[in-house]
Amino acid sequence: MAAMPPYLLQCVLFLAVLHHTPSSGEEQWQDTDMPYEELKARLDQGTVRLFDVREPIELVEDGEIPGAVNIPLGDVEAAFQLPPSDFRQKYSCEKPGLDDDDIVTSCLAGVRSFDALEQLRKLGFHKVKHYPGGFLEWSERCEQEWKDKEAKDTKNPIESPEPVDKDETGNTRNPTTPPPPPPNSIPSPQVKDKKTEL
């Protein structure tokens, strides 16, 4: 088993200890989470913009959620203050508007995505949400869905009939068994003429 990368361990520990809802302005922080099922459905429909706030190397090493735009947490505040044309040029997508309700942040396990949500709400993006399960939950759930689908597909496999071949005599034979060699197919050793040898 591979060792857990230090940033992953720190993220998980940080999540366990510090994940909380801010106490000041509590009404501003309601309805912050987007669960896996909703995120997956909305990504499939193209009705959500997902911003992954992990570092680019993490996406390479761990993987990424398809369709997510990478803006590292340290760049979020500056990125969302860019003019729309600069945002589009830098991130290859349209800059969200303050009233857009299709903005979701994600990270590895929900800690940094919640920090990004706080930053964005302070900038005026009051409808932004975050995906608290992060890439860890995403990859586990997708893997389980794939295994469930594979198990369902192999539960009652339809066996195709075995093809039948006929040999030259008209007898059937199993095509997976190699045919016997024809008679006299093995070359006989050559007898050398002693007169021709020097």
Side-chain angles (χ1 to χ4, degrees):
M1 182 174 180
M4 185 180 291
Y7 63 84
L8 175 62
L9 181 59
Q10 291 171 348
C11 190
V12 171
L13 291 174
F14 187 72
L15 174 65
V17 175
L18 296 178
H19 190 69
H20 69 283
T21 303
S23 57
S24 63
E26 205 163 302
E27 68 284 344
Q28 175 183 345
W29 303 102
Q30 297 300 314
D31 193 31
T32 60
D33 297 355
M34 181 173 285
Y36 170 82
E37 294 80 8
E38 183 181 355
L39 178 62
K40 188 167 190 317
R42 290 189 66 182
L43 280 169
D44 289 344
Q45 297 163 0
T47 59
V48 71
R49 288 182 278 181
L50 182 64
F51 295 96
D52 191 326
V53 298
R54 295 179 291 158
E55 293 298 319
I57 189 69
E58 293 177 76
L59 277 65
V60 172
E61 291 176 352
D62 300 328
E64 60 187 289
I65 298 174
V69 174
N70 181 229
I71 302 177
L73 180 61
D75 299 342
V76 167
E77 188 173 347
F80 281 83
Q81 293 182 54
L82 288 172
S85 60
D86 293 349
F87 187 94
R88 185 180 327 105
Q89 183 177 14
K90 187 166 185 173
Y91 299 109
S92 301
C93 68
E94 295 299 317
K95 179 182 175 184
L98 293 176
D99 293 324
D100 290 355
D101 63 355
D102 63 347
I103 309 164
V104 179
T105 60
S106 72
C107 63
L108 186 67
V111 176
R112 288 174 285 176
S113 63
F114 190 81
D115 288 345
L117 175 138
E118 288 179 319
Q119 289 180 34
L120 291 173
R121 289 206 173 178
K122 288 175 183 173
L123 290 173
F125 295 90
H126 296 293
K127 296 180 181 178
V128 67
K129 293 186 177 189
H130 86 117
Y131 172 44
F135 185 74
L136 288 177
E137 180 187 40
W138 181 272
S139 60
E140 288 171 6
R141 298 282 298 265
C142 287
E143 182 179 356
Q144 188 59 49
E145 288 173 5
W146 181 81
K147 286 179 181 178
D148 292 347
K149 182 183 182 309
E150 188 177 77
K152 182 181 173 187
D153 290 346
T154 59
K155 194 172 191 177
N156 294 317
I158 299 173
E159 293 185 29
S160 58
E162 193 171 298
V164 176
D165 279 346
K166 295 193 181 246
D167 61 15
E168 300 83 33
T169 62
N171 295 325
T172 59
R173 62 182 171 154
N174 183 344
T176 59
T177 307
N184 298 324
S185 65
I186 301 172
S188 58
Q190 296 289 328
V191 180
K192 295 185 178 183
D193 189 357
K194 291 187 180 192
K195 293 181 185 175
T196 56
E197 284 186 17
L198 294 178

